Amino acid sequence: MPPPDGFASAHTDTSDVRGAVGGVDFLPILTDQACSQRLGDITEQADTLAAQSTTLEAQALELNARFAALEERNRALEIDQDVTECPADFLAAVEELQSDLAKGDLGALVQEAETFSVCAQAGLQDLNDRMAALDASTDPNAANDRLAVGSVLRRWATADVQVSRAVSSFVFFDQRRVRLETATGLMLRRCEILGGY
Amino acid sequence: MSSRYKSRLFGLVCLIAAGGFAPVLAQDGFARQGQLKELSADLSGISNRVQMSVDQTMASMQNLQDYSGDELTTQAFAMLDSIEAETREVIDKIKVTSPFMSALDDARANVLVLLRKNERDPPSPSRDSRIAALTSSLASIEEQSKQILAAEGTLTSLLSDHAQMRAELIRNGEVRAVQTFVNDLSTLTDGLEQMAVVLSEISQNVVVVPTDDSVATE
């Protein structure tokens, strides 16, 4: 499940906040300065992330299908009393899948998407704060200002949801990859014991 | 054999907590969190079928006493077929590539992202409450996922044991072997009965995974 090309990279200006949550070691959160540089194209970034998610899902499904076929065969081998060792072609297919899975580490992509999620959330929060301030204002122009902020607010809210979904999908795909990698490892270990590997 | 089944059944207990996320076929992709309610009903149906299988097996065991050796072997094989079919059905529901696991992993990812977002919210008592709830849910999902995967291995190993039992039955072809098998089968039936209880509880013990909407309303 290698990450598709074209994802905007690198952020260099970061705070010291870091945390490992749910098995994912997230990178430090971007500072306001670094984040603001991305706010102008948040919608485009959100669309890019959504497209990448779709591409990755197709790849993940393909790997899933390959594993499912091997899993069926592995189960048959487990209960077949006539088998004395794992067949060579089965082993080759398992090793190939394991190799492909190892190439698909999405950790970096998760981190990148997470930084955009941080920015989207920060931007949305900022707009919400401005809207709240306008609500409390006695300025006669506040109503027009609210209209202007409101139109932008919708776009940011959409982007925030879209980016969050992308992060969630990337975490999901990476978790699936790890699960399949572990399971293929178990197949190989069993063949090591049984023979043939 | 008895202790081994007890050990295996421990793995099956994992299904209790995961009951809220039972499986639905995902035709065009991975199963998602939104399907979890349907999954619960699906797994409840399995529970009923397993219970029926247990009853049927018990009746078949009684019938064994009325048959001669060869027929006993045939009967034993038929019972194994029935049990294995049920076991395979459960395995298919909880294996790594099943819609069940997709929905569970999807729920996990969603909870994880929600947790991260809430951690970045401005400090407040309600934020802390949401974080505590999400952290607890995430830990629960992690633990259940591990147990479900362990249960899959346990059940597959059980099928392997059956293959050995079949081989032994063929080799001996004697009533004594069949009766030994029946003793083992009794233990196995106990296990299935416990599994039925577990599966029944699944539909009544749904672990609620916070969603965007539910968190937003807190």
Side-chain angles (χ1 to χ4, degrees):
Chain A
M1 233 180 294
D5 295 333
F7 190 84
S9 71
H11 51 281
T12 54
D13 191 4
T14 60
S15 72
D16 293 332
V17 180
R18 179 187 289 271
V21 182
V24 179
D25 187 15
F26 287 99
L27 287 175
I29 294 174
L30 292 172
T31 64
D32 289 343
Q33 184 182 1
C35 211
S36 65
Q37 293 171 357
R38 297 177 183 273
L39 300 188
D41 62 352
I42 190 67
T43 302
E44 290 77 7
Q45 292 295 351
D47 288 343
T48 300
L49 289 171
Q52 284 180 305
S53 178
T54 302
T55 301
L56 283 169
E57 174 153 12
Q59 293 171 352
L61 284 168
E62 189 268 333
L63 291 168
N64 231 33
R66 282 171 61 189
F67 176 82
L70 289 173
E71 186 182 40
E72 279 299 311
R73 199 168 168 199
N74 183 61
R75 191 180 298 168
L77 288 171
E78 279 187 303
I79 61 174
D80 188 343
Q81 298 294 302
D82 295 329
V83 169
T84 57
E85 63 179 30
C86 288
D89 63 324
F90 171 76
L91 277 168
V94 173
E95 283 184 305
E96 185 182 7
L97 176 60
Q98 192 176 50
S99 172
D100 290 345
L101 288 166
K103 295 173 190 167
D105 186 349
L106 296 182
L109 187 57
V110 169
Q111 307 296 357
E112 297 239 17
E114 169 76 353
T115 64
F116 285 114
S117 179
V118 172
C119 292
Q121 188 178 357
L124 184 60
Q125 183 63 48
D126 181 52
L127 289 169
N128 279 323
D129 292 344
R130 285 156 65 183
M131 189 65 95
L134 288 170
D135 283 343
S137 172
T138 56
D139 187 329
N141 293 321
N144 284 337
D145 292 345
R146 286 184 75 254
L147 196 61
V149 173
S151 64
V152 180
L153 188 64
R154 282 196 297 276
R155 188 167 69 89
W156 274 86
T158 301
D160 181 48
V161 169
Q162 201 172 7
V163 172
S164 293
R165 282 181 185 157
V167 176
S168 177
S169 289
F170 296 158
V171 170
F172 167 75
F173 296 142
D174 202 46
Q175 173 74 66
R176 176 52 50 94
R177 181 190 66 80
V178 170
R179 289 205 194 289
L180 296 184
E181 208 170 9
T182 302
T184 52
L186 289 174
M187 287 181 189
L188 291 178
R189 274 203 290 277
R190 199 182 63 77
C191 287
E192 197 171 13
I193 294 168
L194 180 63
Y197 182 60
Chain B
M1 182 70 80
S2 177
S3 62
R4 293 183 66 189
Y5 276 118
K6 282 180 182 175
S7 172
R8 290 166 177 181
L9 285 166
F10 174 77
L12 286 171
V13 171
C14 69
L15 293 172
I16 294 175
F21 311 128
V24 154
L25 287 179
Q27 300 294 341
D28 302 318
F30 294 106
R32 295 299 190 184
Q33 222 182 145
Q35 296 172 293
L36 295 182
K37 286 186 179 177
E38 290 180 63
L39 300 182
S40 179
D42 189 23
L43 204 49
S44 179
I46 293 179
S47 171
N48 291 335
R49 288 201 301 279
V50 168
Q51 184 61 61
M52 288 173 62
S53 173
V54 169
D55 293 342
Q56 182 182 354
T57 302
M58 292 294 285
S60 297
M61 285 171 59
Q62 184 63 40
N63 289 338
L64 276 176
Q65 297 173 4
D66 302 328
Y67 288 91
S68 63
D70 287 343
E71 290 170 332
L72 279 171
T73 303
T74 303
Q75 186 78 0
F77 270 56
M79 284 194 294
L80 279 176
D81 289 343
S82 174
I83 292 166
E84 287 173 9
E86 290 288 350
T87 304
R88 287 181 194 283
E89 186 170 0
V90 175
I91 289 175
D92 285 341
K93 295 288 185 185
I94 61 175
K95 64 186 181 182
V96 174
T97 53
S98 69
F100 176 88
M101 284 306 294
S102 291
L104 192 60
D105 284 345
D106 190 51
R108 173 189 175 279
N110 276 290
V111 171
L112 181 58
V113 171
L114 272 176
L115 177 60
R116 288 285 290 170
K117 291 187 75 172
N118 276 276
E119 286 174 343
R120 296 193 295 260
D121 278 345
S124 73
S126 62
R127 165 197 176 261
D128 293 344
S129 174
R130 291 195 299 272
I131 288 175
L134 289 167
T135 302
S136 174
S137 293
L138 186 62
S140 176
I141 291 172
E142 300 275 9
E143 181 60 25
Q144 289 160 31
S145 296
K146 287 178 187 171
Q147 291 180 333
I148 288 166
L149 291 173
E152 184 199 352
T154 296
L155 290 171
T156 301
S157 177
L158 186 149
L159 291 179
S160 179
D161 284 352
H162 281 199
Q164 292 173 14
M165 291 167 75
R166 286 174 187 270
E168 187 172 339
L169 285 168
I170 292 172
R171 280 196 301 271
N172 296 333
E174 296 175 356
V175 173
R176 179 172 51 80
V178 173
Q179 288 174 333
T180 300
F181 157 71
V182 169
N183 289 334
D184 290 340
L185 189 60
S186 177
T187 303
L188 185 142
T189 304
D190 289 340
L192 276 177
E193 195 165 10
Q194 291 180 49
M195 187 168 76
V197 172
V198 167
L199 289 170
S200 295
E201 289 186 27
I202 284 172
S203 60
Q204 300 165 16
N205 293 279
V206 175
V207 171
V208 177
V209 177
T211 64
D212 281 304
D213 290 339
S214 67
V215 170
T217 58
E218 286 190 30

